[in-house]
Amino acid sequence: MPAEPAFIMGVILGVIVTLLVQAYGRRKAKKSDDNIENSVLTQVKREHQEEIAHLKDRIVVMERIVTDEGTRVSKEIAQLR
């Protein structure tokens, strides 16, 4: 008993639709993963920039202490007391 052409076309159409839905789902999931990854990388980058700015400020203070002749730091310490 041969299969009807309409049945065969229906099966083929069902397979094609299933593959398209799966491809769409994979694409959407990948895009979502990329967005999450980008937001995490942006947060890490922001934290690194803040840390670098903090370290630069500390370097400026250390350079000022090292290049001081001893009088300025002594006066500032005395003023803090």
Side-chain angles (χ1 to χ4, degrees):
M1 168 154 95
E4 300 226 7
F7 176 75
I8 293 173
M9 292 300 291
V11 170
I12 292 172
L13 183 62
V15 169
I16 291 172
V17 169
T18 302
L19 292 174
L20 289 174
V21 168
Q22 287 178 347
Y24 175 76
R26 276 190 238 109
R27 182 176 176 204
K28 191 168 183 167
K30 184 178 183 319
K31 188 175 181 179
S32 175
D33 288 345
D34 289 345
N35 288 341
I36 292 170
E37 185 176 315
N38 286 340
S39 66
V40 169
L41 290 176
T42 301
Q43 177 65 25
V44 169
K45 183 178 178 181
R46 185 178 309 120
E47 290 172 0
H48 285 165
Q49 289 173 340
E50 290 171 1
E51 186 175 2
I52 289 170
H54 176 71
L55 292 173
K56 285 181 178 181
D57 291 342
R58 291 187 67 175
I59 289 173
V60 168
V61 171
M62 294 168 91
E63 286 176 342
R64 189 176 68 199
I65 291 170
V66 170
T67 58
D68 184 28
E69 297 164 3
T71 57
R72 183 173 27 138
V73 173
S74 298
K75 288 179 186 177
E76 289 180 9
I77 291 173
Q79 287 176 353
L80 292 173
R81 292 183 185 176

